[in-house]
């Protein structure tokens, strides 16, 4: 990829934050879509807002862009309040899922459109459009029209149109949602490289957990209009703050349980079925006896093998025998479902290292460490 750098026109300030949201609310017809959001997005960061449909993530992005005004609270960009500042005067540009390209204009004219509205001098316009198209590797398609491009090529043109204005922040609204799986993977790599080369702040809205985990420096997980957790991808996945996040991000075995006695940093918990688990309480959770919790165990953290006479010799806090009910071969790994004598069903993901597969109906043993059983507040 070209190393051409498109610089920001916005003057540098002392702040290290490009976007701030302070106690932001948004109410539609008496219904609160976004409630009490506090958010700091750092300069040069790839920041994702992740959550299910209807959680308020797109409304949050639209308030940064200026397409919606907050009902309460404040949005700042580079330390400047955006109250009553219209979208076209904000130092941001948005890339939409639909791309929103003008079908009657060539690629070149689509990218140049915003600069022409600003009466950019012709020589500067040609230079900046050329740089933007070269950056996204679309300079050889400059005279084509959107209908003559693939979905991935249209996506690149939309990115070039956003970048040519040299924004402080690029806003990405489900930018890869319209692409097929293979192209989406390719464009994820393109976005990562583009972000690294530019150093411009990217703020992306998505409902795709894998996309957010693979692209982001940090992620804000939203649920019912609120931010439940902000952290790095590994923090969000490995140390979820709530049962919703554990269940929404990736796959997990999520069980209701009640805390019992503690032993060092781990606590015994009992499920309604009588299954006894050794768990590690989430950092903010008070490990009080008889407290109800949700226990999250990631399927890839669990080991599985054929049950033998020596099975119980495995040195793990959580070790159980059961019956293999289902086995689904998925190429890189196998997805197992194990039924325990308590009636609990446990999902296990095991990397395929050999051609030998466990078969449904076999007695098996599963085991994992206490630190991989995370107790979360209800």
């Amino acid at each position: 990829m070209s190393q051409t750098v498109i610089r920001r026109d916005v003057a540098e300030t002392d702040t290290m934050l490009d976007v701030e949201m302070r106690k932001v609310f948004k109410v539609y017809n008496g219904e609160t879509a976004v409630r009490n959001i506090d958010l700091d997005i750092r300069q040069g960061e790839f920041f994702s807002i992740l959550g299910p449909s209807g959680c308020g993530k797109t409304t949050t992005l639209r308030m940064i862009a200026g397409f919606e005004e907050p009902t309460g609270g404040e949005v700042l960009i580079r330390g400047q309040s955006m109250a009553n500042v219209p979208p076209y005067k904000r130092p941001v540009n948005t890339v939409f899922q639909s791309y929103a390209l003008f079908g009657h204009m060539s690629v070149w004219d689509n990218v140049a459109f915003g600069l022409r509205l600003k009466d950019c001098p012709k020589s500067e316009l040609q230079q900046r459009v050329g740089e933007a198209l070269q950056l996204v590797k679309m300079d050889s398609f400059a005279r084509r029209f959107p209908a003559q491009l693939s979905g991935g090529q249209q996506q690149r043109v939309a990115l070039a149109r956003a970048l040519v204005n040299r924004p402080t922040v690029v806003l990405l609204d489900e930018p890869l949602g319209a692409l097929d799986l293979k192209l989406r993977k390719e464009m994820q790599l393109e976005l990562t490289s583009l972000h690294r080369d530019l150093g411009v702040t990217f703020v992306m809205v998505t409902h795709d957990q894998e996309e957010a985990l693979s692209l982001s420096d940090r992620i804000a997980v939203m649920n019912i209009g609120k931010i439940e957790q902000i952290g790095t991808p590994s923090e969000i996945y490995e140390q979820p703050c709530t049962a919703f996040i554990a269940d929404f991000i990736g796959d997990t075995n999520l069980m209701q349980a009640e805390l019992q006695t503690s032993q060092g940093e781990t606590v015994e918990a009992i499920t309604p079925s009588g299954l006894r688990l050794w768990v590690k309480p989430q950092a903010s959770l008070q490990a009080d006896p008889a407290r109800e919790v949700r226990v999250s165990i990631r399927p890839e953290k669990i080991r599985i093998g054929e049950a033998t006479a020596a099975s119980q010799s495995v040195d793990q806090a959580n070790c159980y025998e059961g019956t293999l009910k289902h086995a689904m071969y998925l190429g890189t790994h196998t997805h197992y479902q194990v039924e325990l004598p308590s009636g609990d069903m446990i999902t296990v993901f095991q990397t395929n290292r050999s051609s030998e597969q466990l078969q449904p109906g076999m007695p098996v043993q599963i085991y994992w460490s206490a630190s991989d059983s995370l107790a979360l507040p209800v």
Side-chain angles (χ1 to χ4, degrees):
M1 177 173 287
S2 168
Q3 296 299 308
T4 301
V5 174
I6 298 180
R7 298 178 180 83
R8 299 168 174 156
D9 283 335
V10 179
E12 295 293 330
T13 66
D14 292 335
T15 180
M16 293 301 292
L17 301 175
D18 270 349
V19 178
E20 300 168 72
M21 303 187 84
R22 297 284 173 258
K23 308 297 182 187
V24 171
F25 282 81
K26 182 63 180 179
V27 179
Y28 293 106
N29 301 320
E31 296 290 330
T32 304
V34 171
R35 61 188 72 222
N36 201 34
I37 282 186
D38 281 304
L39 190 61
D40 292 332
I41 300 176
R42 302 164 187 155
Q43 289 182 23
E45 190 170 31
F46 198 126
F47 191 94
S48 290
I49 304 173
L50 173 67
S53 297
C55 72
K57 58 186 184 296
T58 296
T59 299
T60 301
L61 194 78
R62 288 177 63 84
M63 286 191 286
I64 297 172
F67 300 131
E68 302 281 355
E69 284 292 329
T71 306
E74 189 175 28
V75 176
L76 300 96
I77 299 178
R78 280 295 179 89
Q80 300 297 312
S81 173
M82 292 293 107
N84 301 315
V85 178
Y88 66 91
K89 288 190 175 180
R90 298 190 181 198
V92 303
N93 273 99
T94 306
V95 178
F96 300 97
Q97 180 178 347
S98 62
Y99 313 138
L101 300 177
F102 299 112
H104 65 288
M105 292 184 183
S106 68
V107 166
W108 177 275
D109 289 331
N110 264 281
V111 176
F113 183 78
L115 295 179
R116 285 178 172 148
L117 287 180
K118 296 178 180 179
D119 293 322
C120 181
K122 185 176 180 180
S123 59
E124 182 184 351
L125 181 147
Q126 290 179 334
Q127 178 185 349
R128 287 170 63 171
V129 173
E131 286 179 351
L133 288 174
Q134 184 181 12
L135 189 68
V136 298
K137 299 190 289 192
M138 289 298 292
D139 45 318
S140 61
F141 295 83
R143 298 306 167 195
R144 292 196 186 182
F145 290 82
Q148 298 172 308
L149 304 176
S150 68
Q153 290 168 336
Q154 291 183 44
Q155 175 70 70
R156 292 176 188 173
V157 175
L159 277 167
R161 187 176 61 185
L163 295 167
V164 77
N165 290 307
R166 301 175 180 174
T168 297
V169 182
V170 175
L171 305 176
L172 304 162
D173 187 5
E174 301 275 6
L176 309 181
L179 306 180
D180 61 49
L181 179 61
K182 183 177 180 181
L183 186 55
R184 192 158 66 242
K185 297 290 188 185
E186 293 175 1
M187 287 305 297
Q188 286 175 7
L189 293 175
E190 293 279 0
L191 273 178
T192 300
S193 298
L194 191 62
H195 175 255
R196 183 177 62 246
D197 291 344
L198 287 171
V200 174
T201 302
F202 279 15
V203 181
M204 179 178 73
V205 156
T206 182
H207 67 273
D208 188 313
Q209 302 98 318
E210 182 182 339
E211 192 167 281
L213 291 171
S214 63
L215 291 174
S216 310
D217 296 313
R218 288 191 303 147
I219 301 168
V221 183
M222 289 191 68
N223 183 33
I224 320 177
K226 298 186 297 183
I227 292 178
E228 294 214 353
Q229 185 174 355
I230 299 174
T232 65
S234 62
E235 287 169 346
I236 294 290
Y237 186 81
E238 300 287 352
Q239 302 164 44
C241 289
T242 65
F244 166 79
I245 296 172
D247 193 37
F248 183 70
I249 307 294
D251 295 286
T252 193
N253 294 283
L254 198 61
M255 293 183 282
Q256 181 181 345
E258 189 176 90
L259 296 182
Q260 303 295 311
T261 58
S262 62
Q263 188 179 85
E265 294 184 354
T266 61
V267 180
E268 187 180 35
I270 301 178
T271 69
S273 64
L275 183 66
R276 293 180 176 273
L277 304 166
W278 284 99
V279 303
K280 180 180 179 181
Q282 193 263 347
S284 64
L285 183 68
Q286 292 292 327
D288 301 325
R291 175 161 184 168
E292 187 178 345
V293 295
R294 295 290 183 271
V295 177
S296 170
I297 311 144
R298 297 291 186 188
E300 71 275 10
K301 305 288 188 182
I302 304 173
R303 303 301 299 273
I304 185 171
E306 188 174 355
T308 66
S311 289
Q312 295 302 321
S313 65
V314 173
D315 183 20
Q316 291 289 351
N318 298 292
C319 182
Y320 312 94
E321 291 190 5
T323 302
L324 182 59
K325 304 299 288 185
H326 302 285
M328 184 182 297
Y329 178 79
L330 297 174
T332 56
H333 68 280
T334 300
H335 178 152
Y336 295 110
Q337 277 199 318
V338 178
E339 183 177 17
L340 302 183
S342 62
D344 293 286
M345 296 292 293
I346 304 293
T347 298
V348 182
F349 294 164
Q350 179 166 274
T351 303
N352 293 322
R353 296 184 177 87
S354 68
S355 58
E356 294 182 9
Q357 298 293 320
L358 300 172
Q359 299 301 318
M362 292 176 59
V364 294
Q365 179 191 48
I366 57 174
Y367 53 96
W368 65 92
S369 69
S371 61
D372 290 326
S373 300
L374 188 60
L376 303 168
V378 174

